[in-house]
Amino acid sequence: MDKIALITGATAGIGYSTALKLAEYGFNLLVTGRREERLKNLKTEIENYYGVKTHSLCFDVQDKNEVYNSIENLPDEWKNIDVLINNAGLAAGLNTVQEGDTEDWERMIDTNIKGLLYITRKVAPYMIEKEKGHIINVGSIAGKEVYKYGNVYCATKHAVDALTKGMRIDMLEKNIKVTQISPGMVETEFSLVRFKGDKEKAEKAYQGFTPLSGEDIAEIILFTITRPPHVNINDIVITATEQANSFYKNVK
Ligand code: NDP
Ligand code: 8X3
């Protein structure tokens, strides 16, 4: 196979599992993140185990100039991107709006919304030129419901929901597929980041039930991007069997 997938936020969690899954299937990979050492190790791991080509880009998706320079300066053979997986994202803190930390808000808005837009703004034209491509936006059940103290994170994921629908309309005539993957709780570094390194709080979030794993989501992404050319999956909402929605979990 000679297809290229670009995965943002491939240094951990869902992005990392998706990189391995797609490499196993035969995709050549463009992987991104801020942690250079992890990107280096990922490239070595993928090339050694799966024998596909890998190119890594180290940048912060919040920085428009870094994003634009990285994508514009890709070697020509890597600009032929078939699949873009907008996965990089985070939640920072859990609080009311009236007591919220504005730096947390800015990080979430700048990463989950603006970062996704910057990447898409630069990658989509490569796809549009050849009238072929698939954009996957990793949303969340937080983009479908709003839970207590989730206000700004939920707002960013509602924005991803709206942007996914908007992109699908904008690129309809250019034959570009656009899909949203909306998971419930997945055990990754997500909670460690949300609770700013507090391991106890992070581990507690996944106790008493079996959450989804990064690999569960990676399998669904692979399924979504391997449908025939005339089929587009618009949105998949996926939760652990023991999670009904944002409010109800069967915690033992
Ligand atoms: P992780 O914290 O495990 O991974 C997040 C990834 O995003 C890392 O590779 C991180 O890389 C990257 N990232 C974060 N901020 C930036 C940034 N500013 N610039 C570049 N890369 C960045 O979390 P998940 O795998 O769980 O999260 C992936 C996506 O899935 C997010 O969009 C999240 O909102 C969404 N999601 C997660 C759920 C969950 O329960 N875990 C459920 C529903 C959706 P690095 O730190 O190296 O930059
Ligand atoms: C991450 C899942 O429920 O913590 O998007 O918002 S949740």
Side-chain angles (χ1 to χ4, degrees):
M1 196 193 355
D2 206 14
K3 286 200 165 179
I4 298 175
L6 189 166
I7 305 171
T8 65
T11 55
I14 295 169
Y16 173 75
S17 297
T18 303
L20 298 190
K21 187 63 68 188
L22 268 54
E24 187 183 21
Y25 188 81
F27 276 91
N28 296 317
L29 293 180
L30 270 167
V31 287
T32 87
R34 289 164 302 181
R35 286 171 284 184
E36 197 154 20
E37 190 64 25
R38 286 203 188 192
L39 284 173
K40 222 171 85 190
N41 293 340
L42 177 62
K43 181 172 156 65
T44 308
E45 186 182 358
I46 289 174
E47 289 182 342
N48 287 349
Y49 282 96
Y50 302 109
V52 295
K53 285 182 229 144
T54 309
H55 186 78
S56 67
L57 297 173
C58 189
F59 58 73
D60 186 332
V61 297
Q62 298 175 92
D63 186 324
K64 186 167 75 176
N65 290 333
E66 273 189 43
V67 172
Y68 280 23
N69 284 336
S70 302
I71 307 289
E72 279 167 8
N73 291 320
L74 272 171
D76 279 346
E77 68 268 24
W78 282 105
K79 286 182 179 161
N80 197 17
I81 297 164
D82 298 283
V83 179
L84 164 63
I85 303 174
N86 277 317
N87 164 75
L90 82 157
L94 268 177
N95 210 336
T96 59
V97 165
Q98 60 273 26
E99 289 174 341
D101 180 331
T102 55
E103 281 182 19
D104 285 349
W105 298 351
E106 274 147 23
R107 269 177 74 203
M108 290 188 275
I109 291 166
D110 289 353
T111 309
N112 301 355
I113 306 177
K114 290 164 72 179
L116 179 146
L117 281 169
Y118 297 153
I119 299 275
T120 308
R121 177 67 186 84
K122 279 289 133 183
V123 173
Y126 296 150
M127 295 179 167
I128 285 168
E129 206 180 306
K130 53 182 181 158
E131 299 209 351
K132 196 163 171 282
H134 197 160
I135 299 172
I136 305 279
N137 292 329
V138 179
S140 169
I141 56 169
K144 311 285 179 186
E145 301 159 329
V146 179
Y147 53 83
K148 194 171 180 185
Y149 303 135
N151 41 58
V152 176
Y153 177 66
C154 293
T156 66
K157 290 299 179 177
H158 275 70
V160 172
D161 192 57
L163 288 170
T164 304
K165 291 171 186 159
M167 286 179 197
R168 198 157 43 237
I169 298 164
D170 293 346
M171 298 180 214
L172 178 65
E173 285 163 20
K174 301 295 178 188
N175 196 38
I176 308 301
K177 298 187 187 194
V178 185
T179 299
Q180 177 171 237
I181 306 287
S182 307
M185 291 182 79
V186 188
E187 188 164 10
T188 61
E189 293 178 8
F190 180 85
S191 289
L192 197 63
V193 172
R194 167 168 258 173
F195 296 115
K196 300 172 184 176
D198 186 329
K199 278 192 183 159
E200 212 175 306
K201 275 193 187 165
E203 277 166 16
K204 233 175 162 176
Y206 306 112
Q207 275 167 11
F209 80 113
T210 307
L212 296 168
S213 66
E215 200 185 346
D216 294 327
I217 306 304
E219 280 175 353
I220 287 163
I221 291 176
L222 179 62
F223 175 80
T224 304
I225 63 177
T226 51
R227 294 310 84 213
H230 69 290
V231 177
N232 180 57
I233 295 174
N234 286 8
D235 196 354
I236 295 187
V237 179
I238 168 176
T239 63
T241 306
E242 291 176 313
Q243 181 177 25
N245 55 31
S246 293
F247 313 103
Y248 294 100
K249 279 202 304 283
N250 188 15
V251 178
K252 282 150 196 135

